[in-house]
Amino acid sequence: MALILNEEQQMLKEAASGFLQDKAPVAQLRELRDRADERGYKENVWKEMVDMGWAGIAIPEQYGGVGYGYMGLGIVLEEVGKHLSASPLNASILAAASVIMKAANEAQKAELLPSLASGELNISLALEENGQHKTSNFETTATPSAGGYVLNGEKRFVGDAASADKLIVAANTDKGTQLFLVDATRKGVATESVTMIDSRNSARITFKDVELSAADRLGNDQDTSSSLSEAIDIINVGISAELLGISLRVFEMTVDYLKERKQFDVVIGTFQGLQHRAAHLFCEIELGKSMVIKALQAIDAGEPGISLLASATKAKMCEVAQLATNEGIQMHGGIGMTDEYDIGFYIKRARALEHSFGDRNYHLDRFASLSAY
Amino acid sequence: MTELASFQAETRQWLEENCPESMRQPFNSESEWCWGGRKFEFISEDQRIWMQRMGEKGWTVPTWPREYGGGGLSKDEAKILAKEMRALGCRKPLESFGISMLGPALMKFGNEEQKREHLPKIARGEIRWCQGYSEPNAGSDLASLATKAEDQGDHYLVNGSKIWTSYADQADWIFCLVRTDSSAKHDGISFLLFDMESKGVSTSPIRLISGSSPFCETYFENVKVPKENLMGELNKGWTIAKYLLTHEREMISSIGESFATVSPSKSALKTIGTDSEGRLANSALRRDCAQMEIDGMAFFLSLERGKDEAKAGQGMGAVSSMFKYYGTELNKRRMELQLAIDGADSMVWQDDPKVPALWLRSKANSIEGGTSEVQLNIISKRVLGLPDK
Ligand SMILES: Cc1cc2nc3c(=O)[nH]c(=O)nc-3n(C[C@H](O)[C@H](O)[C@H](O)COP(=O)(O)OP(=O)(O)OC[C@H]3O[C@@H](n4cnc5c(N)ncnc54)[C@H](O)[C@@H]3O)c2cc1C
C-alpha cells in the first residue's frame, strides 16, 4: 500500500488540526496545569471529540465505531501531539479499547466497545507496577475463589484514572496473565492521584481483596499475555504517532525561531552550525514519519509480525522525539528554558510518552529479541 | 486476472527462463558488477548473456520509452519487475552512469537526434559513460569550473582538466561541464558530450585508500568536439548539471537501499555467538545492530514513501538531498559496524580483502555526488528556508 494519506485521511487530518488548534491548544494544557485540574482535561472538549466520532475512530462499525482504523486514530493522535491536547483518547480509546478488541470475548466486545465509542464509558488500563515496563509476571494476583476471583496488588501510572469508570487490571492467575474489568468505585479499590511531569492525570491504585466474578475476566479462561502484548504493540504505534506530532511541532517552532532571532546582527538561522543540525533533525523526523505510517497501515491490514515493526517504530520515535526536543530547547537558548515559552510542555509530554509502555531501550532490546539475537 | 497480475506472472516466468543461475547470487564484491561498454571484460558468459537479454527487452531501463531502448513499463509494472527480480535474487544486469545520470538528463534536455543516438546504446550497455564535473579547483563549488570550450565555427576546442572522474579510463564517452563564458559564473557553463577516444583526451588513474583505482585525472588538450554534441543551450549547462545531480544522488542513496534490508545481526550471530539466553553475546554490539537495523528499515520505508509521494504528485522537495545525506551516512555506519562484528579479521589486507576495502570505499559515499555538508546546506535552504544572511 502506498505510504501516503488518501483523500479522506487528509481531510480528517485537516479537520483535526483545525479543531484542536481552536478548542484544545497548548494554552489549555497550561491552564489545566496552573489550576491543578483534577481531571486533567476539559470534559466539554472531550464531548466534542466524541461527537466528531474520534472515540470510535478505530473501533469497527459493528461495535458502534466509525471504522477509520488505526490510521485514522494515528492521524488524530499526531495532531493531538502537535497541540498537546489533553483528553482520554490515549487512555480510554488507544489503550483500553485496543486491549478489549484483542483480549475480550465477543459478548464483552459487544457490550463495552459501543459505550466507549459513544463516550458514555471511560476505561483505563492498570498495567504497570513499577518504573520498568512489562507485559507479564505481575505481582498483582487474582486468586480463584468460590465466587470467582480475589484481586490484590498495586498498579501505577494508570492514565486518566480520575475520570475512568472502569479499569482493566492485568494480574497473575493460576492460568498465567489475565485481565479483569473492575469498577473504579468497587470496594477495595483505592485510587491516589499522582502528578506527572506532563500535567496529565495519572494514579497509583491499590486493590485489596477486591471480589470479582468470572464474568469480570476478559476473554476466556486462559493466559491472555499474547493478546495483551498485541494490544500493547498497537498502543506503542499510537504513542509513536503522538510523538511524531510533538517532534513536528517542536521542529516548526525551532525553525521559525531560527528565522527570527537575531544575534551578531544577523538571524541565527544563517549560522551553518545551526543549519546543519536543523537539517539533520528534519531527516530524522521524516524517517520516523515513514515508520509511523507503515506501522499504522500494517495494523489495519492485519499484517503478521507487527510486533517487530511496533518496537522498531517506538524505538525510532523515542530517539527522534528526544533529538527534536533537546535540539529545540538548545537552539532557543535561554528562552527555551522558561516556563512561559511552550517548548517545555512539549519536552515533558514527549518524555512521559517515551516512558510509557516501554522506552527506547526496552524496544531496542525487544527488537533484537524478536529478531532472534 | 488483472493486467498487473498477468504482467507479474509473465515477468516471473521470463526471469526464470532467462536469468542464468550464476546471475541469481548476490554480488560478492563490486568487481562482479557489470558495466558494459566497448572496453568491458565480462567476468563470465552468463554475465554477458544476462546484460544482453535484459538490454534487448529494455529492462535495464524499465520505465524508459520503447523508442529509446527502454522497457516502456508503467511505474507499477516497474515495481513488479523489481520485486520479482528481488524474489529470484537476480543481479542488476547493468551498472551505468548512462542509466542513472545522463539518461534522465538527455531525456529532458537532449534534442531528438541526441536521444536516438545515445539512449538505446546506454540501455543495451554498448556505451559506457563517465562524468566530467569536478576539477582540482572546483569541488563543492562546482560552478567555479574552468575547463574551457572555445567556439571554432563548426566545433568547440576543449582545454583543461577534470579530477575524480570515476572510470574515465574505462569509459567510452564523457558528459562534461565546460566554461563557454568566463564573464559569468553559473551562466557561463555548457554541457558537452564527447568520445573519450577523441584526439587530445588522456587519463591517469588515481589510487584510492581502498586500494583500487576507479577514478582518474582527465586531461583535455585541444580536443575538438563537434557542435552538435552540445546538449541544451549554450551557457545553460548549469541547469542540466543540477538536474543530473539529483539523479546521481538518487543513485547513490539507492546503495543505502540495497543494504537497508541486510541484517548485520546475522553475521554477528555467526562470529560472536549467543549467551545462555540466546542473546548476541556482546550486548553493546547487540544494541548497535538493533539501532542499525531499525534505521535501515526507516530509511527503506522513507525511500518507498518518497516514490509514493512522487507518484501522487506530492513530493517532499529536495528529497534527493535528504536521501543522499542519510543513505550515505547510514552506509558508513553500517560498514563501521561490520568491522566491529568481524573484529581484527577485518584488518587483514591480502587476498582480495572485501570488508576492509568496502569499509574504506564507503567513506567516499558522503563525498561523491556532493558532500554531506553540501546536502545539509541544500536542505537548510530549500526545505527549511533558512537564510544565507
Ligand atoms: C569515489 C569518488 C568518485 C567521484 N567520482 C566523480 C566523477 O565521476 N565525476 C566527477 O566530476 N566528480 C567525481 N567525484 C568528485 C566529487 O564530486 C567531489 O569530491 C565532491 O564534490 C567534493 O569536492 P572536493 O573533493 O573538491 O572537496 P571540497 O569541496 O574541497 O570539500 C572539502 C570539505 O569542505 C566541505 N565544504 C565545502 N564547501 C562547503 C560549504 N559550503 N559548507 C560546508 N562545508 C563545505 C566539504 O563538505 C568537505 O568536507 C568523486 C569523488 C569521489 C570521492
Side-chain angles (χ1 to χ4, degrees):
Chain A
M1 191 191 285
L3 294 169
I4 47 177
L5 302 189
N6 63 31
E7 223 168 293
E8 191 181 68
Q9 291 162 342
Q10 198 60 45
M11 273 161 60
L12 172 65
K13 190 183 176 78
E14 278 153 31
S17 168
F19 174 81
L20 295 173
Q21 171 69 43
D22 204 29
K23 297 286 176 61
V26 198
Q28 187 173 86
L29 179 65
R30 181 185 289 278
E31 182 199 322
L32 289 163
R33 180 201 64 176
D34 288 348
R35 60 178 160 82
D37 187 275
E38 204 190 319
R39 187 180 294 273
Y41 64 87
K42 292 227 170 191
E43 243 191 315
N44 59 328
V45 172
W46 174 233
K47 186 164 181 317
E48 281 191 66
M49 292 184 183
V50 170
D51 289 344
M52 288 188 296
W54 291 2
I57 201 158
I59 295 174
E61 280 160 294
Q62 69 190 107
Y63 300 118
V66 181
Y68 268 37
Y70 281 94
M71 191 70 214
L73 182 55
I75 288 168
V76 171
L77 287 171
E78 181 185 322
E79 296 306 312
V80 161
K82 287 182 188 164
H83 301 282
L84 298 183
S85 313
S87 81
L89 199 59
N90 288 55
S92 200
I93 304 306
L94 175 63
S98 298
V99 170
I100 290 165
M101 227 111 77
K102 288 291 176 188
N105 60 38
E106 203 42 52
Q108 291 166 332
K109 284 192 210 174
E111 191 202 325
L112 297 169
L113 293 174
S115 317
L116 283 172
S118 67
E120 288 159 58
L121 185 66
N122 281 341
I123 307 181
S124 288
L125 180 60
L127 179 80
E128 311 290 4
E129 299 180 334
N130 58 42
Q132 304 303 319
H133 170 63
K134 64 180 178 185
T135 60
S136 60
N137 294 319
F138 296 104
E139 302 281 328
T140 302
T141 55
T143 317
S145 67
Y149 296 88
V150 180
L151 182 70
N152 275 292
E154 183 184 80
K155 291 288 179 182
R156 298 182 57 200
F157 312 115
V158 182
D160 286 325
S163 52
D165 307 298
K166 290 175 188 291
L167 304 164
I168 294 172
V169 186
N172 234 40
T173 68
D174 54 337
K175 298 282 165 38
T177 300
Q178 293 189 302
L179 301 166
F180 297 90
L181 195 66
V182 182
D183 273 348
T185 52
R186 195 66 162 264
K187 189 162 159 274
V189 179
T191 302
E192 178 201 332
S193 267
V194 179
T195 304
M196 298 297 284
I197 197 166
D198 60 354
S199 312
R200 299 287 292 271
N201 179 266
S202 178
R204 176 194 292 262
I205 305 181
T206 51
F207 302 91
K208 181 126 194 354
D209 296 329
V210 181
E211 289 180 16
L212 301 173
S213 72
D216 295 327
R217 189 194 58 236
L218 287 191
N220 305 319
D221 193 12
Q222 59 197 28
D223 179 72
T224 43
S225 47
S226 68
S227 339
L228 175 62
S229 161
E230 282 172 39
I232 291 175
D233 284 337
I234 294 177
I235 296 170
N236 271 311
V237 173
I239 289 175
S240 300
E242 189 173 341
L243 284 170
L244 173 64
I246 291 177
S247 305
L248 284 165
R249 179 67 192 117
V250 167
F251 182 63
E252 190 185 343
M253 290 166 74
T254 304
V255 172
D256 285 349
Y257 194 69
L258 291 179
K259 290 177 185 170
E260 152 198 323
R261 167 76 174 163
K262 278 191 168 175
Q263 283 295 284
F264 301 98
D265 300 325
V266 291
V267 293
I268 57 174
T270 55
F271 302 139
Q272 201 181 45
L274 300 185
Q275 289 182 343
H276 283 193
R277 282 160 64 177
H280 173 75
L281 180 53
F282 168 80
C283 296
E284 289 289 356
I285 296 174
E286 288 298 318
L287 255 72
K289 192 191 282 178
S290 309
M291 301 276 303
V292 169
I293 295 177
K294 175 70 187 181
L296 290 167
Q297 287 183 350
I299 296 171
D300 288 336
E303 281 176 25
I306 161 87
S307 298
L308 191 76
L309 188 56
S311 275
T313 304
K314 179 74 181 300
K316 185 71 199 167
M317 273 321 303
C318 285
E319 183 201 354
V320 169
Q322 268 187 35
L323 187 72
T325 51
N326 290 341
E327 288 283 76
I329 288 184
Q330 178 64 22
M331 291 196 233
H332 274 84
I335 203 170
M337 287 301 294
T338 60
D339 184 68
E340 197 190 331
Y341 204 73
D342 285 339
I343 203 165
F345 283 86
Y346 285 91
I347 194 172
K348 291 172 192 170
R349 178 65 177 163
R351 287 307 179 282
L353 286 171
E354 287 167 39
H355 286 284
S356 56
F357 299 95
D359 67 355
R360 174 162 177 236
N361 288 332
Y362 177 93
H363 287 285
L364 281 176
D365 179 69
R366 182 168 182 255
F367 178 89
S369 298
L370 290 169
S371 312
Y373 65 89
Chain B
M1 211 165 12
T2 67
E3 244 170 78
L4 280 181
S6 59
F7 174 77
Q8 177 157 21
E10 284 161 27
T11 302
R12 181 173 306 174
Q13 192 187 349
W14 189 89
L15 289 171
E16 270 165 6
E17 283 164 10
N18 287 281
C19 183
E21 206 53 50
S22 71
M23 293 294 112
R24 300 185 194 184
Q25 321 293 329
F27 289 113
N28 290 304
S29 74
E30 276 187 34
S31 64
E32 292 177 349
W33 290 2
C34 177
W35 289 95
R38 297 192 293 235
K39 301 177 197 164
F40 190 67
E41 284 171 29
F42 292 95
I43 54 166
S44 65
E45 181 59 12
D46 280 353
Q47 188 190 41
R48 194 190 60 78
I49 288 176
W50 180 226
M51 181 191 89
Q52 195 183 22
R53 286 183 183 159
M54 288 291 277
E56 275 164 10
K57 236 177 141 55
W59 281 4
T60 48
V61 280
T63 56
W64 286 14
R66 292 204 65 92
E67 71 252 45
Y68 301 132
L73 302 188
S74 68
K75 281 190 177 162
D76 286 331
E77 288 169 334
K79 226 170 158 173
I80 288 173
L81 172 61
K83 195 170 144 209
E84 288 303 318
M85 285 178 68
R86 245 193 331 263
L88 213 62
C90 303
R91 289 185 174 182
K92 203 170 160 189
L94 181 59
E95 200 63 50
S96 150
F97 296 164
I99 294 175
S100 55
M101 297 196 238
L102 180 62
L106 247 175
M107 213 87 77
K108 195 171 161 83
F109 298 98
N111 60 35
E112 194 54 33
E113 219 176 314
Q114 289 167 337
K115 290 191 218 179
R116 291 199 184 274
E117 168 63 23
H118 298 297
L119 290 171
K121 291 180 186 167
I122 290 174
R124 293 193 300 263
E126 289 168 11
I127 290 293
R128 182 172 179 180
W129 287 83
C130 65
Q131 177 189 32
Y133 273 35
S134 308
E135 297 179 5
N137 289 317
S140 298
D141 185 13
L142 181 61
S144 66
L145 60 94
T147 292
K148 228 174 21 181
E150 285 165 294
D151 191 333
Q152 301 281 328
D154 64 336
H155 67 270
Y156 294 105
L157 197 64
V158 178
N159 276 292
S161 70
K162 294 285 170 183
I163 197 164
W164 322 130
T165 327
S166 293
Y167 307 109
D169 51 344
Q170 290 159 58
D172 306 308
W173 276 63
I174 186 168
F175 50 93
C176 194
L177 295 180
V178 292
R179 181 148 304 285
T180 37
D181 181 351
S182 45
S183 66
K185 189 172 179 181
H186 298 86
D187 294 333
I189 295 171
S190 298
F191 199 102
L192 283 186
L193 313 172
F194 54 92
D195 197 319
M196 287 295 278
E197 277 175 17
S198 311
K199 195 161 166 281
V201 178
S202 63
T203 60
S204 100
I206 305 169
R207 189 164 167 197
L208 283 181
I209 53 175
S210 50
S212 59
S213 307
F215 57 20
C216 298
E217 181 140 22
T218 308
Y219 309 94
F220 310 119
E221 213 189 316
N222 294 325
V223 179
K224 284 186 183 172
V225 177
K227 276 223 166 140
E228 61 264 29
N229 289 10
L230 173 73
M231 194 168 122
E233 280 176 57
L234 190 72
N235 293 327
K236 292 278 186 289
W238 185 244
T239 311
I240 308 178
K242 280 193 300 183
Y243 179 79
L244 186 142
L245 274 176
T246 63
H247 285 276
E248 176 175 14
R249 285 172 198 145
E250 270 159 32
M251 169 198 64
I252 295 171
S253 35
S254 74
I255 303 174
E257 181 173 16
S258 62
F259 285 111
T261 42
V262 176
S263 312
S265 60
K266 292 230 165 60
S267 85
L269 279 174
K270 271 188 218 144
T271 53
I272 299 192
T274 54
D275 63 14
S276 57
E277 283 171 43
R279 292 160 178 239
L280 195 61
N282 182 327
S283 62
L285 199 55
R286 181 171 179 266
R287 183 193 174 87
D288 282 354
C289 286
Q291 186 63 66
M292 185 73 231
E293 286 169 16
I294 290 171
D295 283 343
M297 194 189 267
F299 181 67
F300 180 80
L301 290 170
S302 299
L303 286 170
E304 293 286 297
R305 182 161 68 90
K307 286 176 209 158
D308 292 337
E309 289 185 348
K311 218 170 108 182
Q314 298 177 355
M316 292 195 255
V319 276
S320 73
S321 288
M322 165 172 132
F323 292 142
K324 174 20 169 116
Y325 165 67
Y326 209 96
T328 56
E329 295 296 335
L330 201 61
N331 206 36
K332 289 200 295 182
R333 254 175 69 198
R334 191 188 331 273
M335 290 315 303
E336 289 296 345
L337 182 56
Q338 194 60 50
L339 288 203
I341 290 167
D342 293 353
D345 274 329
S346 61
M347 295 293 104
V348 176
W349 192 256
Q350 62 177 35
D351 311 325
D352 190 14
K354 289 198 179 84
V355 169
L358 279 175
W359 164 69
L360 286 165
R361 178 61 181 82
S362 73
K363 302 301 174 199
N365 294 160
S366 51
I367 299 171
E368 59 200 326
T371 67
S372 281
E373 291 74 21
V374 166
Q375 306 314 313
L376 291 172
N377 286 347
I378 295 176
I379 297 168
S380 305
K381 298 201 170 98
R382 306 255 176 81
V383 186
L384 311 185
L386 292 175
D388 271 328
K389 43 179 136 3

Short mmCIF file of all heavy atoms in Angstrom, two decimals, chain B residues 117-136:
data_model
loop_
_atom_site.label_atom_id
_atom_site.label_comp_id
_atom_site.label_asym_id
_atom_site.label_seq_id
_atom_site.Cartn_x
_atom_site.Cartn_y
_atom_site.Cartn_z
N GLU B 117 20.40 8.76 -30.73
CA GLU B 117 21.77 8.30 -30.87
C GLU B 117 22.25 7.60 -29.58
O GLU B 117 22.82 6.52 -29.63
CB GLU B 117 22.68 9.50 -31.21
CG GLU B 117 24.17 9.26 -31.11
CD GLU B 117 24.68 8.21 -32.11
OE1 GLU B 117 24.01 7.99 -33.13
OE2 GLU B 117 25.73 7.60 -31.83
N HIS B 118 22.01 8.24 -28.45
CA HIS B 118 22.68 7.78 -27.22
C HIS B 118 21.86 6.86 -26.32
O HIS B 118 22.42 5.95 -25.72
CB HIS B 118 23.15 8.99 -26.40
CG HIS B 118 24.15 9.84 -27.12
ND1 HIS B 118 25.40 9.37 -27.50
CD2 HIS B 118 24.11 11.13 -27.56
CE1 HIS B 118 26.07 10.33 -28.12
NE2 HIS B 118 25.30 11.41 -28.17
N LEU B 119 20.56 7.13 -26.21
CA LEU B 119 19.79 6.37 -25.21
C LEU B 119 19.77 4.86 -25.44
O LEU B 119 20.03 4.09 -24.51
CB LEU B 119 18.37 6.94 -25.08
CG LEU B 119 18.30 8.34 -24.43
CD1 LEU B 119 16.89 8.92 -24.54
CD2 LEU B 119 18.73 8.29 -22.97
N PRO B 120 19.50 4.41 -26.69
CA PRO B 120 19.45 2.95 -26.88
C PRO B 120 20.79 2.27 -26.57
O PRO B 120 20.82 1.17 -26.05
CB PRO B 120 19.11 2.81 -28.37
CG PRO B 120 18.44 4.10 -28.73
CD PRO B 120 19.13 5.14 -27.92
N LYS B 121 21.90 2.95 -26.87
CA LYS B 121 23.21 2.36 -26.59
C LYS B 121 23.46 2.25 -25.10
O LYS B 121 24.15 1.34 -24.63
CB LYS B 121 24.32 3.18 -27.26
CG LYS B 121 24.30 3.07 -28.77
CD LYS B 121 25.40 3.90 -29.41
CE LYS B 121 25.25 3.87 -30.94
NZ LYS B 121 26.08 4.90 -31.57
N ILE B 122 22.92 3.22 -24.37
CA ILE B 122 23.02 3.16 -22.90
C ILE B 122 22.20 1.97 -22.40
O ILE B 122 22.67 1.16 -21.60
CB ILE B 122 22.50 4.47 -22.27
CG1 ILE B 122 23.46 5.62 -22.56
CG2 ILE B 122 22.30 4.29 -20.76
CD1 ILE B 122 22.96 6.99 -22.12
N ALA B 123 20.98 1.85 -22.93
CA ALA B 123 20.08 0.80 -22.46
C ALA B 123 20.67 -0.58 -22.71
O ALA B 123 20.53 -1.49 -21.89
CB ALA B 123 18.73 0.94 -23.16
N ARG B 124 21.34 -0.76 -23.83
CA ARG B 124 21.88 -2.07 -24.18
C ARG B 124 23.28 -2.30 -23.62
O ARG B 124 23.88 -3.35 -23.86
CB ARG B 124 21.88 -2.24 -25.71
CG ARG B 124 20.48 -2.31 -26.31
CD ARG B 124 20.52 -2.80 -27.76
NE ARG B 124 21.33 -1.90 -28.61
CZ ARG B 124 20.79 -0.93 -29.37
NH1 ARG B 124 19.49 -0.72 -29.37
NH2 ARG B 124 21.57 -0.19 -30.12
N GLY B 125 23.81 -1.31 -22.90
CA GLY B 125 25.14 -1.49 -22.31
C GLY B 125 26.26 -1.45 -23.32
O GLY B 125 27.33 -1.99 -23.11
N GLU B 126 26.02 -0.75 -24.46
CA GLU B 126 27.05 -0.71 -25.50
C GLU B 126 28.07 0.39 -25.28
O GLU B 126 29.23 0.25 -25.65
CB GLU B 126 26.39 -0.54 -26.88
CG GLU B 126 25.65 -1.79 -27.33
CD GLU B 126 24.76 -1.54 -28.53
OE1 GLU B 126 24.84 -0.46 -29.15
OE2 GLU B 126 23.94 -2.44 -28.81
N ILE B 127 27.58 1.49 -24.72
CA ILE B 127 28.48 2.63 -24.50
C ILE B 127 28.49 2.96 -23.00
O ILE B 127 27.45 3.09 -22.37
CB ILE B 127 28.01 3.86 -25.32
CG1 ILE B 127 28.25 3.62 -26.82
CG2 ILE B 127 28.72 5.13 -24.87
CD1 ILE B 127 29.71 3.54 -27.24
N ARG B 128 29.68 3.06 -22.49
CA ARG B 128 29.83 3.38 -21.07
C ARG B 128 30.23 4.85 -20.93
O ARG B 128 31.12 5.32 -21.63
CB ARG B 128 30.91 2.47 -20.49
CG ARG B 128 31.13 2.67 -19.00
CD ARG B 128 32.08 1.61 -18.48
NE ARG B 128 32.32 1.78 -17.06
CZ ARG B 128 33.11 0.99 -16.37
NH1 ARG B 128 33.73 -0.03 -16.95
NH2 ARG B 128 33.28 1.19 -15.08
N TRP B 129 29.57 5.56 -20.02
CA TRP B 129 29.79 6.99 -19.86
C TRP B 129 30.54 7.31 -18.57
O TRP B 129 30.43 6.59 -17.58
CB TRP B 129 28.44 7.72 -19.82
CG TRP B 129 27.77 7.80 -21.15
CD1 TRP B 129 27.00 6.83 -21.74
CD2 TRP B 129 27.80 8.89 -22.08
NE1 TRP B 129 26.55 7.25 -22.97
CE2 TRP B 129 27.03 8.52 -23.20
CE3 TRP B 129 28.41 10.15 -22.07
CZ2 TRP B 129 26.84 9.36 -24.30
CZ3 TRP B 129 28.22 10.99 -23.16
CH2 TRP B 129 27.45 10.59 -24.28
N CYS B 130 31.26 8.43 -18.58
CA CYS B 130 31.81 8.95 -17.34
C CYS B 130 31.40 10.42 -17.18
O CYS B 130 30.92 11.04 -18.12
CB CYS B 130 33.32 8.77 -17.26
SG CYS B 130 34.25 9.71 -18.48
N GLN B 131 31.59 10.89 -15.97
CA GLN B 131 31.07 12.22 -15.60
C GLN B 131 32.21 13.22 -15.40
O GLN B 131 32.98 13.09 -14.45
CB GLN B 131 30.29 12.07 -14.29
CG GLN B 131 29.75 13.38 -13.73
CD GLN B 131 29.18 13.20 -12.33
OE1 GLN B 131 29.65 12.37 -11.57
NE2 GLN B 131 28.16 13.96 -12.00
N GLY B 132 32.30 14.20 -16.24
CA GLY B 132 33.35 15.20 -16.12
C GLY B 132 32.84 16.47 -15.48
O GLY B 132 32.55 17.46 -16.16
N TYR B 133 32.72 16.45 -14.20
CA TYR B 133 32.24 17.63 -13.45
C TYR B 133 33.40 18.27 -12.67
O TYR B 133 33.83 19.37 -12.95
CB TYR B 133 31.15 17.22 -12.46
CG TYR B 133 29.73 17.20 -12.99
CD1 TYR B 133 29.44 16.83 -14.29
CD2 TYR B 133 28.66 17.55 -12.15
CE1 TYR B 133 28.12 16.79 -14.75
CE2 TYR B 133 27.35 17.52 -12.60
CZ TYR B 133 27.08 17.15 -13.90
OH TYR B 133 25.79 17.11 -14.33
N SER B 134 33.88 17.54 -11.63
CA SER B 134 34.84 18.12 -10.69
C SER B 134 36.18 18.45 -11.34
O SER B 134 36.62 17.77 -12.27
CB SER B 134 35.12 17.15 -9.55
OG SER B 134 33.93 16.74 -8.97
N GLU B 135 36.77 19.51 -10.82
CA GLU B 135 38.12 19.89 -11.24
C GLU B 135 38.95 20.12 -9.99
O GLU B 135 38.40 20.28 -8.90
CB GLU B 135 38.05 21.18 -12.07
CG GLU B 135 37.26 20.99 -13.36
CD GLU B 135 37.17 22.26 -14.18
OE1 GLU B 135 37.80 23.28 -13.80
OE2 GLU B 135 36.46 22.23 -15.21
N PRO B 136 40.26 20.18 -10.17
CA PRO B 136 41.12 20.38 -8.99
C PRO B 136 40.69 21.58 -8.14
O PRO B 136 40.73 21.52 -6.92
CB PRO B 136 42.50 20.58 -9.59
CG PRO B 136 42.47 19.80 -10.87
CD PRO B 136 41.06 19.93 -11.38
#
